[in-house]
Amino acid sequence: MNNKISLGFEYDIIKNGAVILRSIGSCEDKDIVIPEFIDGKTVVGIGDGAFSRSDIKSVVLPYSLSIIGRNAFAFCVKLECISAFGVSEIGDRAFMGCDALTDIGLSSKIKKIGDKCFAYCPSLTTAHLPDSILEIGHSAFEGCHNLIYASLPQGIKIIESGTFYACENLSRVVVPEHLEYIDEYAFAYCISLTDITVPKATVVNRDAFFECGQRNAS
């Protein structure tokens, strides 16, 4: 991966003087390294749709960057990996349709993953989600056909509707001990799912495992 700082981004300056990237601008790099400062101002976020449908292959974000906006990297079909070690929130559909995405580096700072954030990323095979995450939006991993294993954060109380909808190769999921509810179609059409232990106190929607494999319950 390239370690040279990328240049040429278009950006907006917000009220506190920090920078939000608006678009890739004139940057021609395929391996993007976003700087911590632009014109002496701290880069704190990537705006909605900023890199959507671009042909970038990898992204390294600075620790100063805490927010990835909605659709920020949606349909970047060549994007293979992203290092997001300072990010606390990832918006809706931020990485939806990233066909080549295989590696997601998330830090213990992250609190929220938005709706359909990683939906239809067919190259994802594992999802190790840090325990710092308190909210995972609905359909977050919908249609990730080659996802095999997922480990959910201990702080999650609800597995939202459609979280792993149609993840046909998903065979093992580790759920938190104090999970309260699994919503409708959370694991629908996960036809390979055979290893998931649902705590006895967890309320399970009747369609949560619709057309699913066998499951274990403690």
Side-chain angles (χ1 to χ4, degrees):
M1 186 181 295
N2 175 34
N3 290 317
K4 183 181 177 182
I5 294 297
S6 301
L7 303 172
F9 304 116
E10 294 181 353
Y11 61 91
D12 295 313
I13 300 174
I14 58 179
K15 289 182 179 180
N16 62 1
V19 166
I20 301 285
L21 299 187
R22 187 193 327 134
S23 79
I24 197 167
S26 61
C27 181
E28 298 181 352
D29 295 346
K30 306 306 178 190
D31 296 302
I32 297 288
V33 179
I34 294 174
E36 184 174 356
F37 301 99
I38 293 179
D39 292 337
K41 299 175 176 62
T42 305
V43 179
V44 298
I46 296 176
D48 295 349
F51 294 91
S52 178
R53 300 185 185 276
S54 63
D55 59 355
I56 57 178
K57 292 183 62 178
S58 67
V59 181
V60 176
L61 305 179
Y63 282 92
S64 62
L65 197 148
S66 61
I67 303 293
I68 296 176
R70 293 173 297 176
N71 302 299
F73 296 94
F75 302 104
C76 289
V77 296
K78 296 181 180 180
L79 181 62
E80 298 174 357
C81 60
I82 181 163
S83 298
F85 296 116
V87 171
S88 61
E89 182 176 335
I90 303 178
D92 298 346
R93 303 175 300 279
F95 294 94
M96 186 172 72
C98 290
D99 290 354
L101 188 64
T102 60
D103 187 20
I104 310 163
L106 301 176
S107 78
S108 59
K109 291 184 178 182
I110 190 161
K111 302 297 183 184
K112 179 181 178 181
I113 290 176
D115 299 343
K116 294 194 174 184
C117 185
F118 297 103
Y120 302 101
C121 291
S123 296
L124 276 182
T125 57
T126 60
H128 296 276
L129 302 177
D131 283 338
S132 58
I133 296 175
L134 301 175
E135 182 180 348
I136 299 174
H138 73 78
S139 302
F141 293 91
E142 177 181 328
C144 291
H145 301 304
N146 291 306
L147 190 68
I148 297 171
Y149 170 80
S151 177
L152 296 175
Q154 285 299 313
I156 290 293
K157 302 298 183 183
I158 299 173
I159 300 179
E160 299 286 354
S161 62
T163 298
F164 294 100
Y165 186 95
C167 292
E168 294 132 342
N169 286 298
L170 184 65
S171 60
R172 183 176 182 229
V173 179
V174 178
V175 303
E177 295 178 8
H178 302 291
L179 185 68
E180 296 176 359
Y181 184 62
I182 302 178
D183 205 350
E184 62 180 355
Y185 303 114
F187 295 96
Y189 300 103
C190 292
I191 58 176
S192 300
L193 184 60
T194 57
D195 188 355
I196 179 172
T197 300
V198 179
K200 289 181 179 179
T202 303
V203 177
V204 181
N205 183 286
R206 67 179 183 177
D207 290 323
F209 292 89
F210 184 78
E211 293 293 330
C212 195
Q214 297 298 313
R215 64 183 176 91
N216 301 318
S218 61

